[in-house]
Structures are given as structure tokens and as C-alpha cells.
Amino acid sequence: LLTSALLMGWTVGSVEAQLIYSQDFNAPGATPSSLGWASGFGYSGESSYTQAINNTGVGGSDALVTTVDVTSGSSLGAFVEAYTESIVFPAGASFANISLTADITGNVTGAPFAFKIQDNNSDYVVFNGTVGSPGVFQTVGGLLNTANGVPSSFNFASPSFKFDLSFDGSPAWTAGNDSLTIDNVELTMVPEPSTWAMLAVGSVAVLGRRRI
């Protein structure tokens, strides 16, 4: 039905996904600092923390790698973070139509992590995950209303936001250099199902009139 509507000259730009923020770490000569992804740090269960952008991303593209020298996996606390004042959510943004995703992997199978967006009041929307096969990326996230933690007080009109990828404390993080790699961060506004349904109904009505 949507295809029929397009063939008849309908425009559906108003219901297409709208990109709000993206980061693929592929800018020539990029560093974590130049891309605004250098404000994280390690604070427990580790003895060193480093960040680098290299070509270990999806399909050999660039990605951001955070490495910590783990001394205690159970008490491990470390994260990589991006701070931005440039995000403006479109009118009508809600947990049901805003999607946050990223491609994430690590070097320890089963090790836990969390991917988050935070407003300026420290309200986090949190997607929890675990590393699958080392080096194999999985897309983490989705619509905000499907997240593991969704604070009702999250402010879509916040003057600033942070993206956060954190190592969650667990014995799965073993002593030594462990890492998380993130690529293709995307924040989008997507059409809600009711919007698509209205368009489909409209296309049926138009097709019906064309047959009369």
C-alpha cells in the first residue's frame, strides 16, 4: 500500500526516520577528543584507562576502542562518554518514537556493559548488553521505550546530553587488558505505528476512488 501511494505521487517525508545525531568515527585523522568522545574515565577495579580510534570497526571501518587494565572485574567501573550541546529533539519526541542504537563489541564473551543517553539532570535511558563473540559487533539499543531503564523524568528539551558506554562490574571482566569497541552511534526519530497506519488507510482510500 505504501508503494502504491508513492507510485501515485504521494510524499511520505513527514513520516520518514529523521536523523538527530550520528557518529561513525571515520573522520580523517579523528581522535576521541576531536570527536567529543574523550570525557570518560576509569574509577575502580582498574589500573589504567586508554582510548583510541582505529580500523577495528564494522567492516574494517574506524571505531572507538576503550581499554582498561582490570585489577578486579567485580568492582570494575569505567566508561567512555560524549558530551554534546548540539542535539535538539524534534517536536513530539517521545520514548515511543526516538531510537538510540550503536554497534558494540568487546574482547570478553559474556562480559556486561551498558549503553546510555543522559540528560542534564543525570536521568539515564539505559540499554544493557553482554559481549557476544569477541570482535563480532552486535547492534545495541532501539526505541527508548524498550530500554532496560526508562526514567519518566527524562528531559527531551535538555540543553545538553551525554552518550555513555560503560563497563559493568562483573567477574566476567578478567584481570588484564579488556576492551569495549563502539561504532555507528545513531539517534533518530522514527514514525510511530499509528502514523504508518494512517498513511496506509489513506492510500487504500485513494486507490478505492481510482477504481470508481
Side-chain angles (χ1 to χ4, degrees):
L1 294 178
L2 294 177
T3 301
S4 299
L6 288 169
L7 290 174
M8 295 180 333
W10 280 44
T11 60
V12 293
S14 61
V15 294
E16 290 177 348
Q18 180 177 346
L19 186 63
I20 301 169
Y21 172 93
S22 68
Q23 182 56 258
D24 62 10
F25 304 99
N26 285 324
T31 65
S33 294
S34 70
L35 297 180
W37 278 79
S39 58
F41 54 89
Y43 56 89
S44 66
E46 46 75 42
S47 61
S48 67
Y49 172 101
T50 59
Q51 292 176 302
I53 292 177
N54 57 37
N55 62 352
T56 57
V58 176
S61 66
D62 286 345
L64 176 62
V65 183
T66 303
T67 304
V68 292
D69 188 0
V70 180
T71 57
S72 172
S74 296
S75 61
L76 177 61
F79 62 96
V80 57
E81 186 174 80
Y83 173 86
T84 176
E85 295 181 349
S86 63
I87 289 176
V88 177
F89 283 96
S94 71
F95 295 115
N97 62 19
I98 297 297
S99 171
L100 173 64
T101 60
D103 295 323
I104 298 172
T105 189
N107 73 317
V108 180
T109 298
F113 61 84
F115 179 46
K116 315 167 188 175
I117 184 171
Q118 175 190 352
D119 67 14
N120 68 325
N121 292 319
S122 297
D123 289 320
Y124 285 95
V125 177
V126 183
F127 291 94
N128 295 323
T130 56
V131 177
S133 299
V136 177
F137 284 89
Q138 56 181 311
T139 300
V140 177
L143 290 173
L144 299 189
N145 63 2
T146 66
N148 301 99
V150 185
S152 59
S153 54
F154 184 84
N155 181 15
F156 287 98
S158 174
S160 64
F161 295 91
K162 293 179 181 179
F163 299 101
D164 185 324
L165 175 62
S166 64
F167 296 76
D168 285 353
S170 166
W173 294 111
T174 56
N177 288 326
D178 287 339
S179 64
L180 284 173
T181 302
I182 186 168
D183 198 3
N184 299 323
V185 180
E186 289 193 352
L187 183 69
T188 56
M189 186 173 186
V190 299
E192 295 187 52
S194 58
T195 304
W196 288 111
M198 290 174 64
L199 181 58
V201 169
S203 66
V204 169
V206 170
L207 289 171
R209 286 196 295 270
R210 284 170 61 89
R211 294 192 183 100
I212 295 174

